[in-house]
Amino acid sequence: MSTAPAIELKGISKAFGAVQANKDISIRVMPGTIHGIIGENGAGKSTLMSILYGFYKADKGDIYISGQKTAIPDSQAAIAAGIGMVFQHFKLVQNFTVLENVILGAEDGALLAPSLRKARKELTALAAEYELNVNPDALIEEIGVGMQQRVEILKALYRQADILILDEPTGVLTPAEADQLFRILHRLKDEGKTIILITHKLREIMEATDTVSVMRRGEMTATVKTSETSPEHLAELMVGRKVLLRVDKTPAQPGEKVLEVENLRVVDAAGVERVKGISLEVRAGEILGIAGVAGNGQSELLEVLGGMENGTGTIRVNGKELDLTGKFSDARSRRKRGIAHVPEDRQREGLIMDFKAWENTAFGYDDDDAYRAGLLMDNAAIREDAQGKIERFDVRPANSELEAKSFSGGNQQKIVLAREIERDPDLLLIGQPTRGVDIGAIEFIHQQIVALRDKGKAILLVSVELEEILSLSDRIAVIFDGKLMGERLPAETDEKELGLMMAGMTGKDS
Amino acid sequence: MEQLPKWADLIVVPLVGLILAFILSMLMVLATGHDPLDALKLMVSGALGSTYGWGYTLYYATNFIFTGLAVAVAFHASLFNIGGEGQAALGGLGVALVCLFIPWPHWTIALLAATAAAGIFGALWALIPAYLQAKRGSHIVITTIMFNFIAASLLNYVLVNQLRPKGAMDPATAKFPKPSHLPSLGEILNSVGIPFAKGTPANVTLLVALAACVFVYYLIWRTRLGYQLRAFGKSQPAAVYAGINPVKITIITMMISGALAGLMAINNVMGEAERLILGSVEGAGFIGIAVALMGRSHPIGILFSALLFGALYQGGAELGLWTSIPRELVIVIQALVILFTGALDNMVRLMVAKVLVRPKRAEA
């Protein structure tokens, strides 16, 4: 291609305090291509895009848009330069219509009516051109996440964006919705738009992009043509060593029933029924994976089992019923019954981010006699215990005096896992075990989960990552709208079938 | 926001705030036509220049240690107890009842009983807002401040209608009987041969306040309860995950906080006035908030900031006594210190961060 690159970054560096988030990054994105940027959490992808969108100012380096050196001091300048951004967390006003959201911030005058008329016409045109159909008069709160994302894309296009940046766009989508998104992106590309796709999912890079750049620890380690690379190769570039993408495990040896759930219902604080009569069982020595798009009741299921939420129905652990609403329905009572819980949101629930690592290793188990010295807590014993856990679970840096927030996502998760797994529970509840966790740590975490299963423990796994569900589970149950859509064996199903079930469609039931 | 090194957060930020407050104060003094340096000198020497001054400074500081600790304990659980004023007033009622109606053989026993009564009354006064917060979600800031007014009215009623001696015009109790007299700091020190001004109000309660600092330190950082209340304060969802009962922890924390505020009464009611009068707390409950903020909710920090505020109170009083600087200006000075070390803490921190953190970034 002889044309100037749509975007060219030259020698971009950015530091936050002592942390070098971007180190001398240069990248050329050709017009009319989909360019993937992949890297682990904290590799500097978001910082780089924030610089491009004017949220941060680079310490060094230049930005060229279509061959022109351009300064982007703020997001207005980015929009003026034809850059549109679709954030991971949508920036939409829930009780505004699609149309109102599209013109928000781009109104032409004091009166709304002319802008609305103009936007309506434009939206119709855009919809026809890119197959981006949305009802302009629908309220945001009434349309699904897939639609909301289209509105974000429309917002960017309405502002004349030629370059579209999408930050982890598929995190909230079902596989079917994701496929739809990629179709839209291809359509946009065919119309000459340039697209930058930021993701940590190798599969998406392989499926959707033309070129891919890999970032590691603030540096751009490689830029390759997607057709000339493989997931294994990309993973190696991301982590800096060979990684096992598949989980090594032997067939499960299911034993006695450990967990039995019958007709569980959960109503949330707003009075909405989130879990609508779920029944399931998990046996010793097996992993039951719950697949589903976030927000379909899997979180509430875990919370009731973990004693964080009340519910109705019957739950038995090792044949004995659990208290679901009364005095013994709290998390502490659950732990006494041999249930350990790695919560979905480790930063909000699983850890106290301001506490030191050693304080966190006793969290939830602070009533253990081993941690007590008379009236006081035996901090020396907790510290010693923590140091052991940190070494056995390879937490880096191996310093139990650091606060939890100064560890990376993967190492935070290792601290939680060490605490819960080393309690030798009969049942482990584990939600999103590798969310926000780097690939290198994913491998380790998966090994730990399988090792616990092989010790004859029952494991209930909730994850929105289908790949993870497929590779870890011995049985898979799909949850949709608070109900189980059916069960599948991983060997007898695939992402496509599970994706359909996750969207509420099901042909047969097991 | 940038993270400051610990030493800067603990020492530099309060110090800068203090200096700013003093600069502004001195400008105000200048504006009223007085010499700011003379005023400063008078304040310092009045508060710290003599054992007489110290006798008052330490007395005020004792009050502020109790109310500061009260605020700090609640802070650690993310609860904002601004009802120290009312809890201390009720503590005073407890002390008065114990001292008036029970003949004590010796002051030591009277002190123990009064400590218990002050604590229990303060704790119970904090219990109601705590319960309302924990069970009904009524915001504790609103309820505790309302309880300050209720406490004032309640005390008014009790003093006028119940405890006022027959024939007295004053809404106050009778003088407490002799055996409940607490030895003042002057009496104690003089008895071991150290000269110290007699007739100053600092008394043996200071030792109780120091003990309370030690107690709070152990409570917050060494006990399971402290661990749980700190965890609860940092993240409520995490507390629920760990099986910490939010209702229980809120109520217990607030009762401890209320008890600490209540304990102030053994200093001002039993130690100084030796009778219960209306409005005996004199705003110390509110000063406690500034003390806790400036002391970073740590007992050692609170000890120092309570001393500072004690000195400020005493120095201000001297200023009012010996110069024609209006009494109101003294209050303004005190308010400025509270403003800069308490309310504007974050502003000062940002300024300090700009100076301290930026050079580092340039190096990197």
Side-chain angles (χ1 to χ4, degrees), chain B residues 148-188:
Chain B
N148 288 341
F149 291 102
I150 302 174
S153 304
L154 179 69
L155 239 62
N156 201 338
Y157 171 80
V158 172
L159 283 175
V160 171
N161 297 295
Q162 254 71 42
L163 294 179
R164 183 169 51 100
K166 269 207 180 72
M169 305 289 283
D170 201 13
T173 67
K175 196 96 172 149
F176 298 159
K178 254 270 136 9
S180 68
H181 165 77
L182 295 180
S184 72
L185 212 54
E187 288 164 1
I188 298 172

Side-chain angles (χ1 to χ4, degrees), chain B residues 14-89:
Chain B
L15 219 58
V16 171
L18 200 62
I19 292 168
L20 286 177
F22 268 108
I23 291 174
L24 216 58
S25 303
M26 291 304 115
L27 286 176
M28 310 239 352
V29 172
L30 196 66
T32 60
H34 295 82
D35 183 351
L37 277 181
D38 277 354
L40 188 63
K41 239 188 275 169
L42 187 61
M43 276 186 85
V44 173
S45 69
L48 309 171
S50 65
T51 58
Y52 177 84
W54 274 99
Y56 276 92
T57 296
L58 287 176
Y59 164 74
Y60 292 125
T62 307
N63 284 341
F64 301 152
I65 289 173
F66 283 121
T67 53
L69 288 175
V71 174
V73 167
F75 260 168
H76 279 289
S78 240
L79 294 164
F80 198 14
N81 177 17
I82 52 176
E85 197 77 7
Q87 289 142 16

Side-chain angles (χ1 to χ4, degrees), chain A residues 17 330-332 335 341 343 348-349 352 354-355 359 362-363 366-367 376-377 379 419-420, chain B residues 3 218 221-224 227-228 230-231 234-235 237-244 361 364:
Chain A
D330 67 326
R332 218 168 274 278
R335 289 195 178 88
H341 182 189
R348 218 168 79 92
E349 297 165 352
I352 301 285
D354 289 334
F355 275 18
E359 288 180 291
F363 194 52
D366 45 277
D367 53 348
L376 305 180
M377 288 187 82
N379 287 351
R419 182 181 73 209
E420 300 301 323
Chain B
Q3 191 105 33
Y218 273 92
W221 282 283
R222 289 297 167 82
T223 66
R224 219 184 114 200
Y227 179 85
Q228 294 188 352
R230 279 186 295 129
K234 294 287 185 197
S235 167
V240 171
Y241 160 79
I244 296 166
R361 194 187 290 173

Side-chain angles (χ1 to χ4, degrees), chain A residues 1 3-8 27-36 49 52 64-66 81-86 130 153 156-157 160-166 184-197 208 210-211:
Chain A
M1 274 178 272
T3 47
I7 295 177
E8 182 167 19
I27 180 177
R28 293 156 67 99
V29 179
M30 300 312 286
T33 64
I34 300 184
H35 193 116
M49 289 307 120
L52 190 51
Y64 293 82
I65 308 280
S66 307
I83 300 174
M85 182 114 169
V86 176
Y130 302 111
I153 295 174
L157 294 177
Q160 318 282 320
D162 286 318
I163 300 156
L164 209 56
I165 306 171
L166 293 103
I184 292 171
L185 294 184
H186 275 114
R187 182 71 191 237
L188 287 166
K189 177 184 113 173
D190 293 342
E191 301 290 333
K193 305 280 185 197
T194 307
I195 291 156
I196 298 181
L197 179 68
D210 302 308
T211 319

